[in-house]
Amino acid sequence: MGDGRLEIDRISKRYGDVVALRDTTFDVRPGELFGFVGSNGAGKTTTMRITLGVLAADSGEVRWNGERITLETRRRIGYMPEERGLYPKMKVGEQLIYLARMHGLSAEAARRSMADWTERLGVAHRQGDDVQNLSLGNQQRVQLAAALVHDPSILVLDEPFSGLDPIAVDVMSDVLLDKAAEGIPVVFSSHQLELVERLCHRVGIIRSGQMVAIGEVDELRSSGAVELVVVAPNATTGWASGLPGVTVREQDGARTVLELADDADDQVVLHAALATGPVTEFSRRRPSLTELYREVVTQEASEGTVPESAQDKVGVTA
């Protein structure tokens, strides 16, 4: 199918009175790692199942290269479900060959692909073992091999890093980066936001079935409030209280973190800090993705809104 774009266009899904998705919209571009994040029950897995055709949307559609996804297209998707989907009493090698054949590979091509991916993912020595006899980490590696063994053109991975040790996280990260480098669009969900921030080109945050923020990682971070980190060894508690446009976020000994309003003058802050004695650090920073996520997801604003700072700079669907 070649390089292409995966589009999730205004899909909605309701279970009785429960709205699981409401006009959820985003795209995943060729060669892009797209991080799909949100709390449990926010709608991530439902979105992925609709993309796979496991669930039907009440409205909206999923497209590949501008065309509605068909059964043939879905055969080209590599899917890693959160609940995992391996046959526990089937041997690793046999299972991967079987799955590759189901997706249209010849017997020889399936065998070669199974051997390549089990070697790459560090489970080649377990080809003859039943899946149920593997550790959870190795089951995870085999599950990723199952998503890759048929040489997919799209990757949709639900919590692929869950339960992995740091070495396995590095192996899986390298695989996803390599697939993106081949031009494959990759979308994955994860609660490990530091990992999402490090790996992903763009991130979408979903809350209560709605996409509330979408953008490049730096773009999302720049939408947050400007903070100042000040280290003044001789400063006493409350030294920054009352400064115009300044909110004290935390103070731990000599280290103080301040949030600045748009019209705040950081030189006024520096002058106040120097009045206490020496200043060993005075630096601006933007919130991490984890901090921004916490702000967006846990805010008590009316449903479907995001902070005004985010609305100014980040693509938002409300």
Side-chain angles (χ1 to χ4, degrees):
M1 293 192 307
D3 296 348
R5 185 171 69 157
L6 177 67
E7 298 174 86
I8 312 298
D9 185 13
R10 294 171 294 175
I11 61 173
S12 296
K13 183 68 176 179
R14 178 188 292 270
Y15 299 98
D17 294 333
V18 177
V19 177
L21 296 174
R22 183 184 294 121
D23 291 329
T24 298
T25 300
F26 64 93
D27 68 341
V28 188
R29 299 159 189 173
E32 178 177 63
L33 280 170
F34 185 92
F36 191 30
V37 302
S39 57
N40 291 332
K44 304 186 300 297
T45 295
T46 298
T47 301
M48 291 184 171
R49 288 176 174 172
I50 289 172
T51 301
L52 266 290
V54 176
L55 288 175
D58 297 334
S59 60
E61 66 179 21
V62 180
R63 294 190 295 270
W64 169 254
N65 283 339
E67 301 290 336
R68 184 189 289 265
I69 279 191
T70 63
L71 177 60
E72 179 57 31
T73 309
R74 289 189 173 101
R75 294 182 66 185
R76 304 299 304 140
I77 298 176
Y79 178 48
M80 189 173 182
E82 182 179 14
E83 70 278 6
R84 310 310 177 221
L86 299 170
Y87 299 105
K89 296 182 179 180
M90 192 173 182
K91 297 188 186 307
V92 169
E94 293 176 0
Q95 182 159 183
L96 293 175
I97 291 172
Y98 169 71
L99 293 172
R101 295 296 308 277
M102 284 187 64
H103 283 85
L105 270 66
S106 68
E108 179 58 24
R111 188 199 63 76
R112 284 199 308 270
S113 185
M114 178 277 293
D116 289 344
W117 280 114
T118 54
E119 179 68 29
R120 173 81 187 271
L121 295 171
V123 287
H125 63 295
R126 308 305 296 269
Q127 290 178 19
D129 294 343
D130 291 349
V131 168
Q132 65 184 0
N133 294 329
L134 302 182
S135 67
L136 291 178
N138 278 337
Q139 287 185 31
Q140 191 90 322
R141 294 175 188 236
V142 175
Q143 186 73 68
L144 180 61
L148 294 163
V149 72
H150 59 288
D151 191 25
S153 299
I154 313 166
L155 281 176
V156 178
L157 312 173
D158 201 350
E159 294 290 342
F161 296 96
S162 176
L164 291 182
D165 62 70
I167 293 176
V169 167
D170 289 343
V171 170
M172 188 168 292
S173 299
D174 288 344
V175 168
L176 299 190
L177 289 167
D178 287 349
K179 299 312 286 186
E182 294 174 14
I184 292 174
V186 180
V187 55
F188 72 90
S189 65
S190 179
H191 291 294
Q192 295 165 260
L193 297 186
E194 296 85 357
L195 193 60
V196 172
E197 185 170 353
R198 176 164 60 87
L199 290 177
C200 291
H201 303 96
R202 287 191 305 138
V203 174
I205 301 175
I206 188 169
R207 187 188 66 204
S208 301
Q210 289 184 285
M211 298 298 290
V212 293
I214 303 172
E216 295 180 1
V217 173
D218 288 344
E219 182 184 15
L220 286 170
R221 293 184 62 209
S222 68
S223 71
V226 175
E227 293 182 340
L228 272 179
V229 178
V230 183
V231 178
N234 297 337
T236 58
T237 301
W239 69 269
S241 299
L243 294 175
V246 175
T247 302
V248 179
R249 285 301 180 199
E250 61 180 270
Q251 185 165 9
D252 183 10
R255 184 177 185 272
T256 306
V257 178
L258 306 171
E259 181 179 316
L260 301 187
D262 289 342
D263 58 351
D265 186 348
D266 61 1
Q267 296 305 300
V268 171
V269 179
L270 178 59
H271 182 76
L274 286 169
T276 72
V279 175
T280 57
E281 181 180 346
F282 188 82
S283 60
R284 282 176 175 256
R285 74 168 192 177
R286 289 290 184 178
S288 67
L289 182 61
T290 299
E291 292 167 326
L292 179 68
Y293 170 84
R294 187 178 296 116
E295 177 186 2
V296 169
V297 171
T298 64
Q299 63 178 301
E300 296 181 0
S302 59
E303 186 169 346
T305 64
V306 295
E308 290 183 2
S309 58
Q311 291 182 19
D312 289 342
K313 298 181 181 180
V314 180
V316 174
T317 301

